[in-house]
Each structure stands twice: as C-alpha cells, then as structure tokens.
Amino acid sequence: MNRSYGQCDFPIQGFQYSSDLLRCGAFGMDAVAQRVGTPTYVYSAEAIRENYRSYSRALKGIPHRVHYAVKANSCLAILALLAREGAGFDIVSGGELYRVLKAGGDPREVVYSGVGKTRAELQYALQSGVGTIHCESEPELALLRDVATELGASPAVGIRVNPDIDAKTHPYIATGLSEHKFGVAVEDAEGLYQRASEWSPLRLSSISCHVGSQIRDVAVFTDAVEQLLSLAYRLRDQGLPIDALNLGGGLGIGYATGEPSTSISAYGKLLSRAFEGQDLQIGIEPGRSIVGQAGILLSRVLYRKRSGRKTFLVVDGAMNDLVRPALYQAHHEILPVASRNSRSVRCDVVGPICESGDFLAADRMLPAFEPGDLLAVATAGAYGFVLSSNYNARPRAAEVLIDGTKMRIARRRETLEDLIRGEEAWK
Ligand code: LLP
C-alpha cells in the first residue's frame, strides 16, 4: 500500500505534513527529537485552545462553565494555557488540585469529584477554597460535613448521581451503570439530598453525573440530561436551592484515520435545547476531546526483527509511556515523521518492556520503517503521559508544548536519579 501523507485526515490536530515532514507550528518533529530525545510527548497549544473554544462557542447561549478534566492530561503548561483561556478544572485528587493551583488555576472554578476522597484531601480542598465538591456516597458527605465544621467552611456541594445509562463504550471507561462504583442511584439521591440539607454547614446546590468516556453518540446524553433536570425540579419543589447541574465529560474522538470525533457543536445544541431559559448553570468536564488529538508520542525505531512469520518494529516508546493499547486494546495510528513514499509492510510496533502486552500497534500495515527512523503515535494527548509509569525502571518521557513559533520543554525527561528519588537502600 502506498499512502500519501501529504494530505492529512489523520486523527491529529495542530500537526501536519509539509515537504514530507511531520510538523507542529514552526517545528519539524525531527528537530524536536534531536533537541529533546525520544520518547517524547509533543502537544499543540493551538489545537488545545481551539478545542476549548469550541465548547465555549457551542454553549454560548446558556449559562455554562467548562471544567477541563485534569485527569486527561495534567501537564502544568497545558493547565496554565487553559487557565489563561478562562477554563475551570475538574479534579479527582489532592494531587490534581496541587497541580491546578501551581498552574495558576482559580480554585473557585474547580469542581472536585471522585469516590474515595480522604479526610486530608477534603481539608486541602476546603482550605484552598475549591468551588464545588461532588460527593459520591452518604459516608463521604458526612465526613465532608465534619471537616467543614472543623474548618468553619461552608462549601457548595453536589451529589453525583448514577443515571444507570449504557454509554456504549469500552467497559473500563463506562461509569454510568448501576453496577459501577460511581455516584448514588437516582432513586436514592432524593432522600440523601433531604437528609444532608439539614447538615449545616454544607450548601447543597448542585447535581452531577458522568456517564462514561469516549462516547460516540451524543444521544446518550439525552437521558442523563432528562434525569438530572427532573431531579433538580423535584428537589427545588422541596425547597432545596439547586442552581447548577454538571454533566461530566465523555465526548469521543476519532482514533483511526477518517474516524470522526463526536461533534462538540451537536452536543452544544442538545444542551442548549434542554437548558435554554432554565435558571441553572450547566457545568461540563471534557478531557479527552480537548487534548486527545492535540498530542503525539514521538518515538524512534531501534530494531526491526522477524520472528516466525511476524515482523516486529522495536521502538524506544513502550507500554510504560502509553498504556492505552495494552490496557484497552486501543487503536492509535502510527505515522512516519519523514514521509517517504515507501512500500508498506505488516508488523507489530512493540516497546522494550518484558511483556507480550507491550505493544503500541498490532498487526498493522505500515511504511517500511528502518532502524533510526522516527514515528509518531497519534492521538496520544489524552490519558497518555498521565498513565505512564516507571515500569522496568524506565525514566518517564519528556513533554514538549509547541505554540506557533515557540517551543517549550514542559517536562524534562526523567533521569536515572529521578528513578530512585525518595528511596533508601538500607545497605
Ligand atoms: N468527569 C469525570 C467525573 C470523569 O470520571 C471523567 C473521566 C471525565 C470527566 C473526563 O472524561 P472525558 O471527557 O475525558 O471522556 N483512561 C481512559 C479514560 C478514563 C476516563 C475516566 N473518567 C482512557 O484512556 O480511555
């Protein structure tokens, strides 16, 4: 198969081929690799900004807040970029709060979700002035009440409800079915709101939900919207001052060439129709759809080897850098950095880790890469670096943010010393 890489319907944003070289802004990926080494995550600031703005545009007719889901990519430079755009943040741990604050995010624009917040995390959130805390169980609400009382705080609180909706996505990233650990069943939520409304000092003012991630059909959200609205009105009838609904994140993106992303504007239309004229603030928590296509993992081919009837391309990026193929059988396109019109060969792209699950692509027709060639694992901006580890004592990759003619090393490559930081050998 001969494929022209000149025109690009690949699932990447902010990167393009020109003169047969993959570039982002003013920089060729060959120059980035030369300067920073490989494996390296490269992100396009322009694409991230554009995606964030697409949400703002799509929701401009209704009162809304976009809380970027930090878990998708918590690189400080990206958080700072989004904070400058005016984004709020959705966090799930004290660590994510720390990152948001370090990046200059406004704590009042932070919503805090998660099933297992600890006392220390709740204290940290209240002391930092986090905007809204979403609780996922009665004992968690009770702990928040106690911590808030101790600190003299009166936080805005929402209960995350579980709408029992099939998100039709990978089972590990579907969260809105009653069999999942998340949230409180809608039928139990009303009673819990009533009980907790008497627990001063909590201000029960919002309802949240999150159906799942990588959702391909916006219609999946219709049911969730209806359930949240109807619960909000029942609670208001009972005198509770519910003024905000949060629908979580979840819009899917294209990973395979030609595969469309779920439409942000169709999602905006659905929400605008449902919430127009309502005096409710709508919060959303997109992660993947803001950063996913705006990042690649740049890697270099170490060896090509044949084993039986198979050809393996051994590259310097591995499952510790990008675990999605191994963990979710996720598809990521593999693109050459220098596009030559070469013949294609069927191969597996694998890393150096001692596990057969360590692959970035399996059984793919790819250009005939040679050792030393650079390749880009596409659509790696979301749930890429954040899920990376030091498995096999591999230093974690560098991260680079490119903004037009400017390039920043957002995170330097880890060193061998970083690998043992905090450890003692007890010799
Ligand atoms: N809000 C809550 C409460 C969430 O649990 C999540 C994602 C989001 C927002 C953001 O969802 P997004 O817009 O990114 O779909 N590691 C998996 C994805 C896990 C998603 C977990 N929750 C992956 O690589 O596909």
Side-chain angles (χ1 to χ4, degrees), residues 146-401:
D146 296 347
V147 175
T149 308
E150 281 158 29
L151 295 175
S154 54
V157 178
I159 294 176
R160 174 167 171 182
V161 299
N162 186 322
D164 197 18
I165 291 171
D166 181 1
K168 300 189 179 71
T169 184
H170 190 282
Y172 288 4
I173 57 176
T175 48
L177 281 172
S178 57
E179 69 209 44
H180 297 135
K181 67 180 174 181
F182 300 99
V184 174
V186 178
E187 56 275 20
D188 300 332
E190 212 169 315
L192 183 53
Y193 269 100
Q194 279 306 339
R195 287 195 294 286
S197 66
E198 278 148 33
W199 297 353
S200 100
L202 306 184
R203 287 186 291 123
L204 281 167
S205 55
S206 80
I207 310 173
S208 78
C209 81
H210 170 76
V211 182
S213 198
Q214 186 58 5
I215 293 174
R216 309 312 323 254
D217 178 5
V218 291
V220 166
F221 293 98
T222 310
D223 192 7
V225 165
E226 280 166 10
Q227 291 194 41
L228 254 56
L229 261 179
S230 123
L231 179 60
Y233 282 109
R234 289 201 304 279
L235 294 173
R236 278 181 165 188
D237 287 347
Q238 295 158 26
L240 269 87
I242 300 295
D243 60 16
L245 299 184
N246 187 306
L247 286 160
L251 288 206
I253 56 174
Y255 279 94
T257 296
E259 181 191 11
S261 295
T262 309
S263 160
I264 293 176
S265 80
Y267 179 64
K269 281 195 187 114
L270 186 148
L271 298 192
S272 302
R273 262 199 306 274
F275 294 111
E276 208 173 6
Q278 315 264 11
D279 55 343
L280 284 162
Q281 169 94 12
I282 305 311
I284 55 165
E285 302 170 346
R288 186 193 313 267
S289 49
I290 289 188
V291 287
Q293 291 194 338
I296 61 160
L297 175 63
L298 191 58
S299 183
R300 199 180 282 282
V301 178
L302 299 172
Y303 308 105
R304 197 169 64 200
K305 66 181 265 185
R306 284 188 67 86
S307 184
R309 280 204 257 118
K310 291 198 75 158
T311 300
F312 292 97
L313 271 185
V314 185
V315 302
D316 61 5
M319 68 186 285
N320 76 298
D321 300 302
L322 180 66
V323 76
R324 300 193 75 259
L327 189 57
Y328 312 112
Q329 301 75 48
H331 177 98
H332 288 260
E333 295 287 358
I334 306 288
L335 307 177
V337 163
S339 154
R340 292 177 297 265
N341 237 356
S342 63
R343 67 196 170 83
S344 297
V345 286
R346 186 169 292 283
C347 62
D348 284 16
V349 180
V350 299
I353 282 182
C354 301
E355 297 219 16
S356 297
D358 177 25
F359 61 89
L360 297 172
D363 202 23
R364 284 282 176 86
M365 287 304 286
L366 293 175
F369 287 104
E370 298 290 338
D373 284 349
L374 289 165
L375 53 81
V377 185
T379 332
Y383 306 109
F385 185 88
V386 282
L387 277 159
S388 68
S389 76
N390 292 123
Y391 188 38
N392 278 200
R394 286 168 53 85
R396 278 181 298 169
E399 292 177 285
V400 165
L401 182 67

